[in-house]
Every structure is written in C-alpha cells, then in structure tokens.
Amino acid sequence: MELCYHSESCNTRLVYGETLNRSLPAGFSKDVHVIFLTNQKYYDRSFEKINQLFATALDIDWYICRNHLYCNDLTELQELLAFLEGFPKDHQYLFVSYGNEGVTALTGFIQQTTVLPSRFCCLPVSLRSLCKSLVKRREVVSQHLQPLLAVNNLPQDIFYDQTITQEQGDGKLVDFLLLLRAGLVCDASFLKNLFQSFPHQQAVHSRSFASYIQQLASFYEKRQTEIENYGRLFELAFYQVANGHLLSANMKRMMGILMQVTWNQQVTPLDLDLPKFFHWLQAVGLPVVLPPQISLTEYGVAVLKLTKELPKPTLYQKIGIRKAANYPTSEELIQMATAYQQIIGE
C-alpha cells in the first residue's frame, strides 16, 4: 500500500504492507552513493540483507550511531561530520535512516545541512522510527536533551517493512505506547479501539499494527508537534532527578506521558477513567509503578525548573480536544503526585 503524506509544503511517499525487496522501486539506488545511518544492533542484524537490496548503488557506506534513544546529540553530529569530511562533492548521495528515532532525526538533519548533493530516505525499524520519520522538525539535542539545532526536513520516501519491526520483541510495547500517545492527543474513539483490540500483553505481541498506519499518518499530518510534545516536559524531568537512571529512556517517556495525563485530569477532568486506564496499561505489559527511590517531591521541582526551557504542555478538555497550553504550577504538581500515588496504591 502507498499513501502521499503532506506536512505543510513537504510531501513524502509512504509505502507499507510490503517487504523491502518488493516495495523498493527498480533502480532506486542506481548511480548514487548510499550512506546508511544506523545503530549497532540493526547493523549486526541486517547489514548483508540491506546491502543486497541496494546493490545497484555506486558505493555503500555505513555510519553506526550509539543505541541510545537520543543519539541525535551534538557529539554524534560532530563525529558524523568528521566521517563525511572526505566524501567527494561531485557524487550524488542517498542518505538512508535505518535505525531508531535518534538516527531518523540525525539523518534528516545532516541531509538538509550537508554540502553533499543528496536526497533522504527512511527504512523504519519500528513504529517509533516510522512516527519520527513523519515529523518535519529534525533536532540535534544537548546533553540534557534540549534542542540545540533544528531544521525542517521530510524524507522523499519511507518504506515500512513490518517483517523488520516484528523482530524487535519487547520493542512492540514501546511502539504500542506511541499509538496510545497519538490517541490521547487526537481521538478518543481511536483510543477506545486500542482498548478493545489489545486487552492484554499477548495481543500486543501477536497482532500487527499495520492497520493503524493510515490513521496514524493522518494524525501526524495535522498534529505532529502536539503529539511529539505530549509528555515531553514530564519525561525530561526524570533525567534531572537523583535516581532517574533507574528508569530506561523508554520508561522515562512512558512515565512522562502518564504524568501529563494525570496532571491534566487534576486540572481539567478528561472523559477518561484514569484508574481503569492505568490498570489496562499494566495488563498489556507496560509498567506504571515508579521505583521507590525516585522522590516525587524532587521530581516536581525538576518539572518546575524545566518550564523555563521547554514549551508549555497542552491541556485537554476532552480526549482530542484542546483547551489551553499552560505550565503546571507547584500546587498542581502536588495534586498530580497525590493522584498518581493513590491510583498506584489501588
């Protein structure tokens, strides 16, 4: 299947529902020098297979980023620039993202800013990197994960092969989390459909998400910044607390989403049964309990500090219906922490 994805003045061709060898057009890499950006685990898994699919290229090079979720940082950018320094400027290049979300962001940034004549393509390895490929803004972040540099750039082509994404194991739970995030921001009926279709963890692991791609692309066309920012203030605060290292990067993101929806519920009640929602998340295998070593009081202070540096989070009067963008107050954060602890206790 194929659809044309629009984001303001940018257009992207998204091909999905086919394996890569069937979806890549004949001669796609002919007469170009292909540069893959990837993570070590994807390089180890697919190096030979991917090279064979791009066998018509003039040449193929791989640049391997760290496996970290936010590998699109200044250090990685500097090392990538050093890697590209000796490449001839009289060739045509194809920059291909074949990695996690950080790789997707970094690939889009470098292709837009390099002097090498090139185009940009994404081969998502997960639903997460597919979502990131649909985001126009490409950021390089600081060591504190705040934006340092940014450009607007969408890939000309996205080829989503779900046989690749099926190999990720527990990564499907994190993909599912991003479906939930899109539902919380955009559409209560979409969220309800997820609740009915995925009642437990086995369903998440055994069922394909391919049927949601068209709807997800539609959400990102209209509200990509809002979706990407949902939970971000609350997520980054976990990097500032003393025992934040006890949470993985994806756990920090999940807890950030949970904290935003809990905060929203205290300020403006949503059409959402929050205890039932938390119980469902546990049923599908998403852990919702913070390690006891993380102080919610310290966490609240971290959130307040970040309000000076990050955009205002959005409050919703109902799922999918915006009310306003506001920073949480100290009183609201206390109410949020109390409500969260009460739900977890139940």
Side-chain angles (χ1 to χ4, degrees):
M1 288 174 278
E2 180 175 326
L3 61 86
C4 184
Y5 175 82
H6 306 276
S7 180
E8 296 181 359
S9 60
C10 301
N11 296 320
T12 294
R13 177 177 59 158
L14 169 58
V15 181
Y16 64 100
E18 297 279 358
T19 57
L20 274 179
N21 63 332
R22 297 189 57 156
S23 58
L24 284 172
F28 182 73
S29 59
K30 187 177 180 181
D31 298 328
V32 296
H33 187 150
V34 180
I35 300 175
F36 288 99
L37 274 69
T38 190
N39 308 102
Q40 185 70 54
K41 61 180 179 179
Y42 302 116
Y43 176 84
D44 293 341
R45 181 187 300 169
S46 306
F47 167 75
E48 292 185 4
K49 174 184 175 181
I50 297 298
N51 272 5
Q52 290 172 2
L53 294 175
F54 288 79
T56 60
L58 285 175
D59 205 351
I60 297 176
D61 282 282
W62 290 76
Y63 177 84
I64 301 174
C65 301
R66 304 185 315 280
N67 285 330
H68 193 275
L69 173 61
Y70 294 107
C71 60
N72 54 313
D73 60 15
L74 195 56
T75 300
E76 199 73 74
L77 175 62
Q78 290 172 328
E79 293 179 4
L80 176 57
L81 288 171
F83 171 78
L84 295 174
E85 190 172 349
F87 283 64
K89 298 179 179 60
D90 58 350
H91 288 185
Q92 292 293 321
Y93 293 87
L94 174 63
F95 282 91
V96 181
S97 167
Y98 182 69
N100 67 9
E101 296 156 75
V103 167
T104 305
L106 187 62
T107 308
F109 182 88
I110 198 67
Q111 188 273 330
Q112 180 77 335
T113 56
T114 182
V115 297
L116 301 176
S118 59
R119 68 182 196 266
F120 173 29
C121 167
C122 286
L123 308 180
V125 297
S126 63
L127 195 70
R128 286 156 280 155
S129 55
L130 171 62
C131 289
K132 185 60 72 173
S133 70
L134 299 175
V135 176
K136 181 179 61 178
R137 182 177 168 90
R138 308 291 169 195
E139 294 180 345
V140 173
V141 298
S142 70
Q143 62 177 345
H144 300 298
L145 307 184
Q146 295 162 23
L148 281 177
L149 304 167
V151 297
N152 290 332
N153 191 19
L154 280 177
Q156 283 84 3
D157 299 282
I158 304 168
F159 300 102
Y160 180 75
D161 180 351
Q162 69 182 58
T163 64
I164 292 175
T165 67
Q166 286 171 351
E167 299 175 7
Q168 60 179 322
D170 286 341
K172 279 202 76 178
L173 279 173
V174 192
D175 281 354
F176 187 68
L177 176 65
L178 295 201
L179 288 174
L180 291 175
R181 183 178 67 176
L184 285 167
V185 170
C186 299
D187 192 336
S189 62
F190 182 82
L191 197 63
K192 183 177 180 180
N193 178 273
L194 293 177
F195 176 78
Q196 294 171 338
S197 301
F198 299 93
H200 45 68
Q201 187 171 357
Q202 183 182 359
V204 173
H205 283 292
S206 61
R207 295 177 185 172
S208 169
F209 299 149
S211 61
Y212 296 99
I213 290 176
Q214 187 171 358
Q215 183 66 73
L216 196 61
S218 176
F219 290 155
Y220 270 77
E221 278 186 328
K222 300 168 186 173
R223 301 172 76 168
Q224 60 184 252
T225 301
E226 202 179 336
I227 296 170
E228 287 287 301
N229 285 341
Y230 191 89
R232 183 147 177 84
L233 170 67
F234 298 91
E235 171 196 352
L236 295 191
F238 283 110
Y239 286 90
Q240 310 297 318
V241 297
N243 291 303
H245 64 278
L246 297 175
L247 297 173
S248 68
N250 284 318
M251 271 293 293
K252 289 183 178 76
R253 177 162 56 184
M254 191 198 74
M255 294 307 305
I257 292 169
L258 293 186
M259 290 302 172
Q260 177 154 348
V261 73
T262 305
W263 165 66
N264 197 139
Q265 185 83 323
Q266 305 316 302
V267 178
T268 304
L270 295 163
D271 48 342
L272 181 68
D273 185 332
L274 211 54
K276 186 177 181 180
F277 180 66
F278 272 61
H279 181 74
W280 172 48
L281 296 183
Q282 288 182 302
V284 298
L286 290 168
V288 300
V289 179
L290 279 173
Q293 298 92 332
I294 293 180
S295 163
L296 283 175
T297 301
E298 182 187 0
Y299 171 73
V301 172
V303 172
L304 290 175
K305 286 182 179 178
L306 284 175
T307 59
K308 301 174 183 178
E309 302 166 9
L310 293 172
K312 296 176 181 178
T314 301
L315 280 167
Y316 297 84
Q317 58 188 20
K318 290 185 177 181
I319 299 296
I321 302 176
R322 289 169 287 197
K323 179 180 180 182
N326 287 314
Y327 290 121
T329 66
S330 57
E331 291 80 8
E332 290 168 358
L333 290 172
I334 292 171
Q335 292 170 359
M336 177 196 77
T338 302
Y340 168 79
Q341 288 173 319
Q342 182 178 353
I343 293 170
I344 295 304
E346 294 173 354

